Amino acid sequence: MTTNDSVFIDENLLPRRTYKYRAFRLNGTAPTDSSTPVQVTTMDTTSHNFTWQIDTLGATASTLYDVVIINDTLAYAVGEMYLRDSTGQINPQAYNMAKWNVENGSW
């Protein structure tokens, strides 16, 4: 590793379980030393009943890259979102983020 920060992705983890990770430095195939173990616990499943609705962000040329739901009142969407101006033309300036407005139920 060449930086102090690293991203580690472990898929197919189970809810409410504890996992331990340790990084090893190899000399060929033999470990020479290791990091201090790191213990992480996955979150429990939610008991909330979610209601999903389909919404449109931006005009035809818009693209969403990711959406994160923080809680039942806060969500963000990121991407390239183009809006139409008052004449109906697509504005060439893209917006990069949208925040869910819980008060009126819109982006």
Side-chain angles (χ1 to χ4, degrees):
M1 306 286 250
T2 58
T3 64
N4 292 333
D5 292 330
S6 302
V7 175
F8 178 76
I9 298 174
D10 191 357
E11 296 179 347
N12 300 318
L13 299 178
L14 298 174
R16 211 175 71 199
R17 299 284 169 92
T18 300
Y19 297 89
K20 290 183 182 180
Y21 298 96
R22 176 181 275 176
F24 291 91
R25 185 186 325 250
L26 298 177
N27 184 5
T29 59
T32 58
D33 62 356
S34 67
S35 67
T36 304
V38 175
Q39 181 173 306
V40 295
T41 302
T42 55
M43 296 188 307
D44 197 1
T45 56
T46 180
S47 62
H48 299 346
N49 291 323
F50 289 100
T51 302
W52 297 95
Q53 72 183 49
I54 297 174
D55 206 341
T56 302
L57 291 175
T60 306
S62 299
T63 303
L64 288 183
Y65 299 129
D66 206 355
V67 176
V68 62
I69 300 171
I70 306 300
N71 57 37
D72 61 338
T73 63
L74 181 59
Y76 294 98
V78 294
E80 295 177 23
M81 293 161 270
Y82 296 91
L83 300 178
R84 294 188 186 275
D85 63 19
S86 60
T87 66
Q89 300 298 311
I90 294 177
N91 187 332
Q93 166 120 21
Y95 291 87
N96 300 102
M97 183 186 82
K99 178 182 173 186
W100 177 256
N101 183 340
V102 70
E103 291 178 11
N104 65 12
S106 66
W107 294 96

